[in-house]
Amino acid sequence: MTRTSARRRARGGARPDRSGGAVTQSAWTQVRYRTAPTNVLSSDQIEAIHEASLTILEEIGVKVLDPEARGYLQEAGARVDHGEEMVWLDRGLVEEKLKLPPSSFTLHARNPARNVQLGDDCAIFASVGGPAFVSDLDRGRRQGTYAEMCDFIKLVQSLNILHQEGGGPFEALDLPQESRHLDLHFAQITLTDKNWQPWGLGAERARDGLEMAAISLGCSREDLIGKPVFTTVINTNSPLQIDGPMGEGLIEMAKHGQPVIITPFTLAGAMSPVTIAGALTQQNAEALSGIVLAQCVRPGTPVIYGGFTSNVDMKTGSPAFGTPEYTLAAQATGQLARRYGIPFRSSNVTASNAVDAQAAYESQMSLWGAMSGHVHLLNQGAGWLGGGLVASFEKLIIDAEMLQMMAAAQQPFEVSDAAIGLDAIREVGPCGHFFGTQHTLDRYESAFYTPLVSDWDNYENWSDRGSKDTAQRANGIWKQMLAAYEQPPIDAAIEDQLKDYMARRKQEIHGNAA
Amino acid sequence: MTRTSARRRARGGARPDRSGGAVTQSAWTQVRYRTAPTNVLSSDQIEAIHEASLTILEEIGVKVLDPEARGYLQEAGARVDHGEEMVWLDRGLVEEKLKLPPSSFTLHARNPARNVQLGDDCAIFASVGGPAFVSDLDRGRRQGTYAEMCDFIKLVQSLNILHQEGGGPFEALDLPQESRHLDLHFAQITLTDKNWQPWGLGAERARDGLEMAAISLGCSREDLIGKPVFTTVINTNSPLQIDGPMGEGLIEMAKHGQPVIITPFTLAGAMSPVTIAGALTQQNAEALSGIVLAQCVRPGTPVIYGGFTSNVDMKTGSPAFGTPEYTLAAQATGQLARRYGIPFRSSNVTASNAVDAQAAYESQMSLWGAMSGHVHLLNQGAGWLGGGLVASFEKLIIDAEMLQMMAAAQQPFEVSDAAIGLDAIREVGPCGHFFGTQHTLDRYESAFYTPLVSDWDNYENWSDRGSKDTAQRANGIWKQMLAAYEQPPIDAAIEDQLKDYMARRKQEIHGNAA
């Protein structure tokens, strides 16, 4: 869509579709799997990938830039060349450390009603984190401000299907870079009562996240050990490198028993081999290296196996997302994570620059890969657009609809005499209809999924209401939802402590100039 | 989208995105399943639905309006009340007839290279059939003409991912209603060399389809027995009725050994119980009644179990498509069809009135239900819009992309030492890149799925090309494809015979007035 048409659309979208009242949405709930996952690889093939990745760790090695990280690995028995910053892990060491992390854990929120289980048959959905730009139909793609970021976070709080704030939807470029994470964490804590993702880049930032989380829970940083309160994304620098800030962040989080999501960014054909099998093997080696490091820092630290294998367009070098290869890689990564008994992270991604059909079908391809692979943490679950460079307000709403549908498609339906309703079928008989039967009247209000943004009306009614497409309707919904937002209660003393902490840290970071 | 913006969009869309040359698309191929289907119900639950449906057939009965159909069933041992037009089938009769149809068969086309297998692990994809309206971005929704219908059929021929023309994309309202099916069949036969769906309404029309198919293959109508050349949709008139024209069509096709797709239209809450379990039970009873009838007419006739269970919006009564309930019903129907060893039909459906995000995500929800349920005939596979009232040129292209991706996501990827490429990983080492390695150079041209309409380019390049959304790009692609269309060769004598047959039949139908 052009900027002109974006503005034109916005006039329609600015008027909420549903006047008054709250937006209709699914209730807050834990997502659980009820059908078997899809296995795209045989056990032999999974073993072949596992074995080859162990060979990589043993023979090729991983570059680890942080000396403390190399120290932990050396102490555990790894071969280390500090001059070359290289680490080699033998099979025995890897296999031993893989036994330590839990297959499932509770993720605590400052509101205990928002605690969720992550792992085994339980999944959670997180909002988009990290894009450089924000976008909506009214103003198009642009750099974001703190106020806009707060609006986005308020929507994440309002959408019941989202279990986690995913680490800041976009950069607040009106705030100084060095202390921006403090304002983000303040917003995450005070505007939501769900769990959230801190910044994991560097030991100092990691400590700020830990301190603020501890304040929010009325405890000390040390009290967080054994009580997971957030998950931190640790990306390896593919191929085969853990850089300094990532190593520091991982160590700081693991020291405090906080779950880390080790996510290699293995784009087949660029940062990994051009084959899915090769990309998965390298992904596995990198993920295992981070998992082992976390277990060396603190045995039993919860870890999450992050799968992000996709491919580049070999003509342009652009990354592709939500492709068939992405779907297959997600399903296979689920198998690898299950082999290790470690929770699996995947994502909801698209390369599309518009909130259109491609955005939806690429998201669906990645969502089905994730769900049929039994994802435990769906990171980047809602709001991602344009290859991850953009957080979109309208895509956030549309993704929430898709996630609601994914969760509903996991709900068992009752098969009992009462549900089958032979008596109703007998009563209606051939050529009748079921609208008025008692069987229908007893059940119709909750029988079916209720949509958030989908329009099921006929063409004439839809046209009469302005022929709004999904993105235009989503524009109305997020505005309606934002207008109805209510800040979750927080203890005034805790809010003051958070403000004091921020002020002190900003003083330390910026000196008097700030 | 409004009519105004549809017209505005079309100007951009009218210029093909890719100048010159043919559209890049996947190669013609048979789709095969490589992973296990998703079972949403336990074996006990499937048996409960099966048993309850047998009780319906035994105790409640089915209304069968065609006397010949009742005669066939009576002769096979069913209890019949001709006055009430009611038929009751006992368990033994149903179980006996269910043993007869094949689990898989070859569907022949006039070009043997287009023959396809339907059943077991093989699936085929059909284009949309039957809507009242046609739509494109240039002219919006409207009643269609024969010329426009021919354009749509040419695209069905051109799109490799489509294995079957689905029965006429929309009505050609510039032709007389009584003989329109003859012109449709002429277009299906001469503009494509794939298999196609005839009209199954009434014995006379069914015979026309059979005669023209026989002519196209240079054989007689009787020669078609044992050589399936097309599939005919037989909808039951839910609840629990087979109407006259459908009964006649079914009998005529079964007499000639031609596959019939028995598809109950069980909308939960309207024509069936409000529960999925109840709707599936009634669907099963209706499907079995048609399957039994076909086996009474000619034992061993190929049949296809059609699942179309969805739900209505209980607030408006509008049918909903591509909902979580639809997905679950498709997966469960796949289980029922597998229980009987009969091929399974499902669809690619949406209620959306625009070619937008909702159209894509509802289609994906139905496609994943179908594919994970191991659909064998994906009817209405491409082009369906607006609850099935509209055949859309742009949706046709976007659906073709989605089907290509579904097929690609079923393709195994190689897991071998060569594919894993440890040597390449060793050669590149930490922090390198794989663009120039021999492992990449040997494979990059065919390593990844190539999109039809998806745009993977960055925001800047996409904006420079006019910020076209998916529907606008699809508009350019169908025009490019239509311009490049080449009619498949046909024997001139056969074409003449088809014309003679049409002329004679039109004379019979209309008399001298035509």
Side-chain angles (χ1 to χ4, degrees):
Chain A
M1 168 183 18
T2 61
R3 277 153 195 269
T4 316
S5 75
R7 275 197 297 274
R8 204 155 38 216
R9 283 183 161 189
R11 289 200 301 275
R15 292 188 298 275
D17 282 315
R18 308 166 194 203
S19 55
V23 170
T24 305
Q25 62 169 322
S26 300
W28 165 269
T29 187
Q30 174 87 56
V31 177
R32 282 175 192 276
Y33 294 107
R34 57 178 291 249
T35 53
T38 299
N39 291 325
V40 290
L41 298 180
S42 67
S43 312
D44 286 353
Q45 289 175 319
I46 288 292
E47 287 314 298
I49 289 173
H50 168 71
E51 283 299 322
S53 66
L54 292 190
T55 301
I56 291 174
L57 294 175
E58 210 163 52
E59 295 180 8
I60 301 172
V62 177
K63 197 163 181 124
V64 178
L65 303 191
D66 180 50
E68 191 184 3
R70 290 197 303 275
Y72 273 112
L73 293 164
Q74 189 166 31
E75 201 179 328
R79 183 158 62 92
V80 173
D81 180 331
H82 289 286
E84 296 290 329
E85 302 174 311
M86 286 296 295
V87 174
W88 295 268
L89 308 171
D90 71 36
R91 286 170 148 70
L93 173 61
V94 174
E95 301 276 16
E96 176 201 320
K97 297 298 179 195
L98 278 172
K99 293 178 189 149
L100 302 175
S103 63
S104 173
F105 56 88
T106 300
L107 201 50
H108 297 263
R110 74 174 177 86
N111 175 359
R114 303 290 202 177
N115 289 0
V116 283
Q117 195 67 12
L118 195 163
D120 295 335
D121 68 342
C122 297
I124 73 165
F125 299 153
S127 57
V128 66
F133 300 98
V134 59
S135 178
D136 60 38
L137 289 190
D138 305 270
R139 284 176 292 176
R141 192 179 88 145
R142 62 196 186 275
Q143 292 186 326
T145 64
Y146 185 68
E148 291 168 312
M149 195 191 77
C150 287
D151 282 349
F152 202 99
I153 292 174
K154 288 175 184 175
L155 293 170
V156 173
Q157 165 70 8
S158 302
L159 288 161
N160 289 333
I161 196 63
L162 297 178
H163 305 92
Q164 181 183 71
E165 197 288 326
F170 46 87
E171 295 279 317
L173 282 171
D174 53 342
L175 296 181
Q177 197 267 331
E178 298 79 5
S179 61
R180 203 179 280 163
H181 64 287
L182 298 165
D183 301 278
L184 167 64
H185 296 339
F186 184 75
Q188 289 169 314
I189 293 168
T190 57
L191 300 179
T192 85
D193 61 359
K194 303 178 179 179
N195 79 85
W196 46 279
Q197 290 190 17
W199 278 18
L201 275 167
E204 202 172 271
R205 282 207 186 88
R207 273 194 294 274
D208 283 332
L210 289 160
E211 287 287 0
M212 293 180 77
I215 293 170
S216 78
L217 293 161
C219 69
S220 75
R221 182 145 66 87
E222 290 67 31
D223 291 340
L224 296 179
I225 295 172
K227 185 178 187 177
V229 295
F230 47 42
T231 59
T232 305
V233 173
I234 301 294
N235 289 122
T236 57
N237 199 337
S238 303
L240 300 176
Q241 178 174 275
I242 297 175
D243 72 19
M246 285 292 176
E248 286 182 18
L250 184 155
I251 290 169
E252 202 59 32
M253 292 305 173
K255 277 181 182 169
H256 292 83
Q258 294 304 308
V260 285
I261 315 163
I262 314 293
T263 310
F265 190 38
T266 33
L267 275 181
M271 293 92 95
S272 75
V274 76
T275 57
I276 307 180
L280 285 172
T281 301
Q282 188 188 307
Q283 168 194 288
N284 203 55
E286 295 180 13
L288 294 187
S289 70
I291 289 166
V292 167
L293 173 55
Q295 299 311 310
C296 291
V297 174
R298 183 174 187 84
T301 290
V303 292
I304 299 167
Y305 183 126
F308 207 78
T309 291
S310 192
N311 61 281
V312 293
D313 179 347
M314 294 308 289
K315 286 195 271 301
T316 65
S318 292
F321 295 105
T323 59
E325 289 79 17
Y326 185 93
T327 305
L328 290 164
Q331 291 169 325
T333 302
Q335 287 184 261
L336 288 162
R338 280 192 296 283
R339 185 200 182 285
Y340 304 128
I342 292 172
F344 160 44
R345 166 252 160 118
S346 193
S347 307
N348 169 9
V349 289
T350 172
S352 181
N353 290 297
V355 184
D356 63 354
Q358 180 188 337
Y361 66 68
E362 288 184 339
S363 273
Q364 283 275 329
M365 290 296 288
S366 51
L367 282 172
W368 278 97
M371 297 299 287
S372 65
H374 279 201
V375 66
H376 297 106
L377 169 58
L378 185 77
N379 213 39
Q380 309 288 4
W384 161 300
L385 194 68
L389 290 175
V390 182
S392 157
F393 277 83
E394 287 80 21
K395 183 76 174 357
L396 175 68
I397 299 298
I398 292 170
D399 282 333
E401 173 90 284
M402 293 197 277
L403 293 177
Q404 287 190 168
M405 291 169 80
M406 291 288 154
Q410 291 296 328
Q411 292 305 307
F413 59 90
E414 189 188 333
V415 181
S416 62
D417 290 349
I420 288 175
L422 267 191
D423 289 345
I425 296 172
R426 202 184 303 268
E427 173 193 339
V428 170
C431 320
H433 68 79
F434 289 76
F435 281 118
T437 65
Q438 197 58 46
H439 189 261
T440 302
L441 293 175
D442 289 346
R443 290 168 175 82
Y444 79 95
E445 283 185 11
S446 62
F448 307 128
Y449 172 75
T450 301
L452 174 64
V453 66
S454 297
D455 188 325
W456 294 345
D457 216 336
N458 63 40
Y459 183 84
E460 290 71 21
N461 290 341
W462 173 78
S463 298
D464 288 348
R465 283 197 305 273
S467 302
K468 289 182 191 169
D469 70 13
T470 319
Q472 290 172 308
R473 297 195 303 273
N475 183 276
I477 289 172
W478 71 255
K479 287 173 182 169
Q480 183 188 352
M481 202 165 241
L482 198 54
Y485 168 81
E486 288 180 25
Q487 189 162 2
I490 188 164
D491 189 298
I494 286 177
E495 189 166 349
D496 286 345
Q497 268 185 279
L498 288 168
K499 284 179 181 164
D500 290 348
Y501 181 84
M502 277 211 297
R504 179 168 64 76
R505 286 288 294 126
K506 285 186 182 180
Q507 177 74 21
E508 287 170 14
I509 292 168
H510 302 292
N512 288 333
Chain B
M1 162 184 21
T2 60
R3 277 152 194 269
T4 317
S5 76
R7 276 198 294 276
R8 202 154 41 217
R9 281 183 163 189
R11 289 200 298 275
R15 292 187 298 274
D17 283 314
R18 307 165 195 203
S19 56
V23 170
T24 305
Q25 61 170 323
S26 300
W28 165 269
T29 187
Q30 174 85 57
V31 177
R32 283 175 191 277
Y33 294 106
R34 57 178 291 249
T35 53
T38 298
N39 291 326
V40 290
L41 297 181
S42 67
S43 313
D44 286 353
Q45 290 175 318
I46 288 292
E47 287 314 299
I49 289 173
H50 168 71
E51 283 299 323
S53 67
L54 292 189
T55 301
I56 291 174
L57 294 175
E58 211 163 51
E59 296 179 9
I60 302 172
V62 178
K63 198 163 180 123
V64 179
L65 302 191
D66 181 48
E68 192 183 0
R70 290 197 302 274
Y72 274 112
L73 292 165
Q74 189 166 30
E75 200 179 330
R79 182 158 63 93
V80 173
D81 180 332
H82 288 287
E84 295 290 328
E85 302 176 310
M86 286 296 296
V87 175
W88 295 267
L89 308 171
D90 71 35
R91 288 172 146 67
L93 173 61
V94 174
E95 301 275 17
E96 176 200 321
K97 297 299 178 194
L98 278 172
K99 293 179 190 148
L100 301 176
S103 64
S104 174
F105 55 88
T106 300
L107 202 49
H108 297 263
R110 73 173 178 85
N111 175 359
R114 302 291 200 175
N115 290 0
V116 283
Q117 194 69 13
L118 195 163
D120 295 335
D121 68 341
C122 296
I124 73 165
F125 298 155
S127 57
V128 66
F133 300 98
V134 58
S135 178
D136 61 38
L137 290 190
D138 305 88
R139 284 177 290 175
R141 192 179 87 144
R142 61 195 187 277
Q143 291 186 325
T145 64
Y146 185 69
E148 291 169 313
M149 195 192 76
C150 287
D151 282 350
F152 202 99
I153 293 175
K154 287 175 183 174
L155 293 169
V156 172
Q157 166 69 8
S158 301
L159 288 161
N160 290 333
I161 195 64
L162 296 178
H163 304 94
Q164 182 184 71
E165 196 290 325
F170 47 85
E171 294 279 317
L173 282 172
D174 53 343
L175 296 181
Q177 196 267 332
E178 299 78 6
S179 61
R180 204 180 278 161
H181 63 287
L182 298 166
D183 301 280
L184 167 62
H185 296 339
F186 184 76
Q188 289 170 314
I189 294 168
T190 57
L191 300 179
T192 84
D193 61 0
K194 303 177 179 179
N195 80 86
W196 46 279
Q197 290 190 16
W199 277 18
L201 276 166
E204 202 172 274
R205 282 208 185 85
R207 274 193 293 272
D208 284 332
L210 289 159
E211 287 287 359
M212 293 180 78
I215 293 170
S216 78
L217 293 162
C219 68
S220 74
R221 181 144 68 87
E222 290 68 32
D223 291 340
L224 296 179
I225 296 171
K227 185 179 186 177
V229 296
F230 47 43
T231 59
T232 305
V233 174
I234 302 293
N235 289 123
T236 56
N237 198 339
S238 303
L240 300 174
Q241 177 173 278
I242 298 176
D243 72 19
M246 283 293 176
E248 287 182 18
L250 183 154
I251 290 170
E252 202 59 32
M253 291 306 173
K255 278 181 182 169
H256 292 84
Q258 294 304 309
V260 285
I261 314 162
I262 315 292
T263 311
F265 189 39
T266 33
L267 274 180
M271 294 92 94
S272 76
V274 75
T275 57
I276 307 180
L280 285 172
T281 301
Q282 187 189 307
Q283 168 193 289
N284 203 55
E286 296 180 13
L288 294 187
S289 70
I291 289 166
V292 167
L293 173 56
Q295 299 311 309
C296 292
V297 175
R298 184 174 187 85
T301 291
V303 291
I304 299 166
Y305 184 126
F308 207 79
T309 291
S310 192
N311 61 283
V312 292
D313 179 347
M314 293 309 289
K315 285 194 273 300
T316 65
S318 292
F321 295 105
T323 59
E325 289 80 16
Y326 185 94
T327 305
L328 289 165
Q331 291 169 326
T333 302
Q335 287 184 260
L336 287 163
R338 280 192 296 284
R339 185 203 181 285
Y340 304 128
I342 292 173
F344 161 43
R345 166 252 160 117
S346 193
S347 307
N348 169 8
V349 290
T350 174
S352 181
N353 290 296
V355 185
D356 62 354
Q358 181 187 336
Y361 66 67
E362 289 184 339
S363 273
Q364 283 274 328
M365 289 297 288
S366 51
L367 283 171
W368 277 97
M371 298 298 287
S372 65
H374 280 201
V375 67
H376 297 107
L377 169 58
L378 185 77
N379 213 39
Q380 309 288 5
W384 161 300
L385 195 68
L389 291 174
V390 182
S392 157
F393 277 83
E394 287 80 20
K395 183 75 175 356
L396 175 69
I397 298 298
I398 291 170
D399 283 333
E401 173 90 284
M402 292 197 276
L403 293 177
Q404 287 189 168
M405 292 169 80
M406 292 289 154
Q410 290 295 330
Q411 292 306 306
F413 60 89
E414 189 187 333
V415 182
S416 62
D417 289 351
I420 288 175
L422 268 191
D423 289 345
I425 295 172
R426 204 184 302 269
E427 174 193 337
V428 170
C431 320
H433 69 78
F434 289 76
F435 281 119
T437 65
Q438 197 59 45
H439 189 262
T440 302
L441 293 175
D442 289 345
R443 291 168 175 83
Y444 79 94
E445 283 185 10
S446 61
F448 307 128
Y449 173 74
T450 301
L452 176 61
V453 66
S454 297
D455 188 324
W456 295 345
D457 215 337
N458 63 41
Y459 183 83
E460 290 71 21
N461 290 340
W462 173 78
S463 298
D464 288 348
R465 283 197 305 273
S467 303
K468 288 183 193 168
D469 71 13
T470 318
Q472 290 172 309
R473 297 194 304 273
N475 182 275
I477 289 172
W478 72 255
K479 287 172 182 170
Q480 184 188 351
M481 203 165 240
L482 198 54
Y485 169 79
E486 287 181 23
Q487 188 162 2
I490 189 165
D491 188 297
I494 285 177
E495 189 166 349
D496 286 344
Q497 269 185 276
L498 289 169
K499 285 178 179 164
D500 289 348
Y501 181 85
M502 277 211 298
R504 180 166 64 76
R505 288 287 296 127
K506 286 186 180 178
Q507 178 72 21
E508 287 170 14
I509 292 167
H510 301 294
N512 287 332

